Amino acid sequence: MSSKAKSETALCAALFLAAALVRVLFLAATVDRDLPFSIFYYGDSRIYREFALALIRGDVFDQGIPLHPPAFAYVLSWIIGWFGERPLAVRALLAIGSATVVPMTYLLGRTLWGRAVGIAAAMLATFSFGLCVVSVSANAETIYIPLLVAQALLLVSLGDALAVDRRRTATVLSAVSGIVLGLGALTRAEHFGLAVVLPVALAIGW
């Protein structure tokens, strides 16, 4: 690994740790930190908790009708299954996971507009009140926003690989992008619309 690659890896790790710390401190400062769902997203976060508990019990949720995409409910059920009904710990783990959006924002900004823009975007994402609220809310968006940013980053990386005819890299990126597309659609149904948008974006942009 070159010194530049090591420097970028260290920066991404530092950005992730800083974002995770900010989100955990934000959760610790909220009045609802000991509740299993957020007062900001009471309806959805409560429903997903019930969905997760139904999965743990082996019960059918919503009478088997797929009204709510299941990905987040499965993630939440795994965390509850491992750590039990400890709301602060569960929401802290989700917040730490959501911190991945910050280094990905840096990489996206750096790729499109340069390192200074990437760092500025990462700082904004780190301290964004809206992103902090979402990250501690135990809601589908807690994992969906990182998936959405990952999808955009993969699109840009795939376009760059195609532009210089790096076929093996493009093949790997296409496969990973497809996996992220599937996970995104299982988290928010409208994400499946990107199955049409992404190829069009590649055709126009590259």
Side-chain angles (χ1 to χ4, degrees):
M1 183 182 291
S2 67
S3 59
K4 182 178 179 181
K6 290 180 180 179
S7 174
E8 289 296 299
T9 300
L11 177 57
C12 287
L15 288 171
F16 169 74
L17 292 173
L21 178 61
V22 167
R23 280 150 177 74
V24 170
L25 291 176
F26 182 86
L27 174 62
T30 59
V31 296
D32 63 353
R33 59 185 175 273
D34 293 320
L35 298 178
F37 34 73
S38 170
I39 59 175
F40 291 103
Y41 290 88
Y42 172 75
D44 284 349
S45 59
R46 178 180 56 82
I47 288 172
Y48 276 109
R49 175 176 174 270
E50 293 173 358
F51 195 169
L53 293 177
L55 290 172
I56 291 171
R57 294 192 302 268
D59 295 341
V60 174
F61 187 73
D62 277 344
Q63 298 181 342
I65 302 172
L67 298 176
H68 298 88
F72 180 71
Y74 274 96
V75 170
L76 190 58
S77 70
W78 294 333
I79 294 175
I80 293 175
W82 292 334
F83 294 94
E85 277 271 56
R86 297 164 58 193
L88 182 60
V90 170
R91 292 172 65 187
L93 285 171
L94 288 170
I96 291 170
S98 74
T100 55
V101 75
V102 172
M104 288 191 294
T105 297
Y106 162 71
L107 292 173
L108 184 60
R110 185 203 65 181
T111 303
L112 291 173
W113 297 290
R115 197 167 191 262
V117 172
I119 292 174
M123 289 297 98
L124 290 172
T126 298
F127 296 102
S128 165
F129 176 76
L131 290 179
C132 285
V133 168
V134 169
S135 71
V136 303
S137 294
N139 194 37
E141 282 73 17
T142 306
I143 63 171
Y144 179 65
I145 291 176
L147 286 171
L148 188 60
V149 176
Q151 192 82 78
L153 180 59
L154 286 166
L155 173 65
V156 172
S157 300
L158 176 57
D160 289 345
L162 291 172
V164 295
D165 199 27
R166 294 166 57 193
R167 296 184 181 181
R168 181 175 296 180
T169 300
T171 299
V172 172
L173 289 171
S174 296
V176 176
S177 184
I179 293 170
V180 172
L181 179 65
L183 292 173
L186 288 170
T187 306
R188 290 292 300 264
E190 58 265 43
H191 191 85
F192 192 67
L194 292 180
V196 175
V197 174
L198 295 179
V200 172
L202 281 173
I204 293 174
W206 289 274

